Amino acid sequence: MKILLTGGAGFIGSHTCVELCEAGHEPVIVDNYINSCEEAVRRVEQIVGHPVPHYEADVRDAEAMHRIFSENEFDCVVHFAGLKAVGESVAQPLRYYRNNLDSTLTLCEVMQAHGVKRIVFSSSATVYGNQPVVPYREDMPSIGCTNPYGWTKFMIEKILEGQCNADPEWSVVLLRYFNPIGAHSSGLIGEDPAGIPNNLMPYIAKVAVGELEKLSVFGNDYPTPDGTGVRDYIHVTDLARGHVKACDFASGRTGCEIINLGTGHGYSVLDLVNTFQAVNGVKIPYVITSRRPGDIAENYADPSKAKELLGWTAEKTLEDMCRDTYRFQRQNPKGYHGA
């Protein structure tokens, strides 16, 4: 299949591009490089051994998107493009709503105009809200998102569900994934956030190579075994494989399906810190600070539906995630921009 990846130069998009190529598909990337860079595409090409078509464009730009669709006959779209930092979304809600909703609406209108009706959406476990029980299952109703980032994912899910209801030829897969970390085993591609990282693992990695002095742990008074937040960390390569499976699944059906992508295991912030130190032989100094706005105590997935419908399960361990992250950071201490 020829598959458009919006935001395909980003962390998850670049790894998905690799897995799609290795599965025999033809990915095409569109990215505005606000939270990514073209060097990631070059690295993907190095891994897969051939050029990957890519466009520099904003998905909100309807004219550019119509041109891209006119130049290609896409079978499916994987929609990653969007702003993604929880804390930043609390501070800049209007920016998040405008960017994430506009890009999706424009994309869907262009898809409809060109007769492309299969889409896999990069959703998030944040749409569940702060559920009273774990693990999170797809049949749980949302009880209210805790931050604007989560609300944009929730709203986009509703937009895509509504499109499916209006046009029964559409096939939509909403992938709710949990906390992607890790990097490609080659060390060529990984997570390279602009500025100070908003997510835990890239922050740990930058502390490990001495770029940042210490880690701030946001709260140690949650109702969890060690008081720090518990999350379902999943290796980005496993997550990327899940997208390949979802594209195959979408091609053979119509309607809308919600599927969790997670390991089914919860690890605390300190579990992650301690594992990173143990497998990589480095010290991660940290301090405990106050809770971060919008965070919740604990979430992890029930991934059984992904196994049933997609034939997918996560395979890599927390040790793999920490080892691969550090490899990428060591090989790229300044990220892609230092290349």
Side-chain angles (χ1 to χ4, degrees):
M1 288 188 289
K2 191 171 219 182
I3 301 170
L4 178 66
L5 306 183
T6 72
F11 176 43
I12 302 169
S14 59
H15 287 81
T16 299
C17 189
V18 169
E19 296 301 315
L20 285 169
C21 288
E22 294 185 350
H25 297 298
E26 299 176 56
V28 176
I29 291 171
V30 58
D31 205 301
N32 62 7
Y33 303 126
I34 286 183
N35 282 323
S36 60
C37 66
E38 198 169 0
E39 174 64 17
V41 181
R42 192 190 69 77
R43 302 281 187 92
V44 167
E45 293 175 332
Q46 185 177 345
I47 293 169
V48 301
H50 60 76
V52 175
H54 54 281
Y55 296 86
E56 182 173 0
D58 193 310
V59 181
R60 295 175 294 173
D61 183 342
E63 182 179 350
M65 294 303 292
H66 277 296
R67 176 175 58 83
I68 292 167
F69 273 74
S70 295
E71 293 176 1
N72 299 272
E73 293 186 7
F74 294 119
D75 299 293
C76 183
V77 174
V78 183
H79 183 30
F80 296 109
L83 301 174
K84 63 175 186 175
V86 168
E88 186 180 68
S89 80
V90 175
Q92 303 175 38
L94 296 181
R95 179 176 173 233
Y96 269 68
Y97 288 121
R98 173 65 71 187
N99 183 88
N100 292 4
L101 298 182
D102 275 4
S103 60
T104 303
L105 290 167
T106 300
L107 175 64
C108 288
E109 289 166 352
V110 173
M111 288 175 63
Q112 183 82 343
H114 291 267
V116 180
K117 299 184 178 183
R118 297 184 188 120
I119 184 169
V120 175
F121 173 55
S122 167
S123 191
S124 167
T126 58
V127 302
Y128 287 110
N130 194 356
Q131 297 283 346
V133 294
V134 288
Y136 288 7
R137 302 183 317 274
E138 293 88 346
D139 60 0
M140 286 177 167
S142 174
I143 58 174
C145 301
T146 59
N147 54 75
Y149 162 75
W151 278 119
T152 67
K153 295 295 187 183
F154 177 88
M155 293 173 185
I156 291 168
E157 285 195 3
K158 295 307 175 187
I159 289 168
L160 294 172
E161 287 174 356
Q163 184 59 23
C164 262
N165 292 334
D167 185 343
E169 292 183 353
W170 273 64
S171 177
V172 172
V173 181
L174 307 174
L175 294 180
R176 291 178 178 172
Y177 39 82
F178 285 67
N179 290 69
I181 59 174
H184 192 266
S185 58
S186 66
L188 287 170
I189 58 173
E191 190 165 9
D192 181 28
I196 302 297
N198 289 293
N199 295 326
L200 176 61
M201 182 58 105
Y203 206 108
I204 290 174
K206 287 186 179 294
V207 172
V209 296
E211 188 173 333
L212 295 173
E213 179 185 359
K214 61 182 178 294
L215 172 71
S216 294
V217 176
F218 297 111
N220 66 344
D221 57 350
Y222 285 105
T224 60
D226 63 18
T228 64
V230 168
R231 298 291 183 269
D232 187 338
Y233 296 100
I234 178 172
H235 198 293
V236 65
T237 298
D238 278 336
L239 192 69
R241 288 192 305 102
H243 287 77
V244 177
K245 295 282 191 180
C247 289
D248 293 338
F249 179 72
S251 70
R253 63 179 300 282
T254 58
C256 184
E257 201 71 63
I258 299 168
I259 302 175
N260 286 338
L261 291 184
T263 66
H265 302 287
Y267 296 99
S268 74
V269 173
L270 293 184
D271 285 337
L272 198 61
V273 170
N274 293 333
T275 301
F276 193 99
Q277 292 181 139
V279 301
N280 294 313
V282 294
K283 183 70 176 174
I284 307 297
Y286 66 87
V287 295
I288 305 296
T289 64
S290 59
R291 295 185 183 188
R292 185 171 58 178
D295 275 349
I296 60 178
E298 180 178 32
N299 71 41
Y300 57 90
D302 177 346
S304 57
K305 190 174 180 182
K307 183 176 183 179
E308 176 189 351
L309 295 186
L310 306 182
W312 173 93
T313 55
E315 298 175 354
K316 292 183 178 289
T317 66
L318 187 62
E319 287 78 7
D320 293 328
M321 302 177 211
C322 292
R323 190 178 297 111
D324 289 343
T325 296
Y326 190 45
R327 181 185 298 111
F328 172 76
Q329 195 66 57
R330 283 201 323 271
Q331 292 179 199
N332 305 273
K334 299 297 182 182
Y336 296 125
H337 298 284

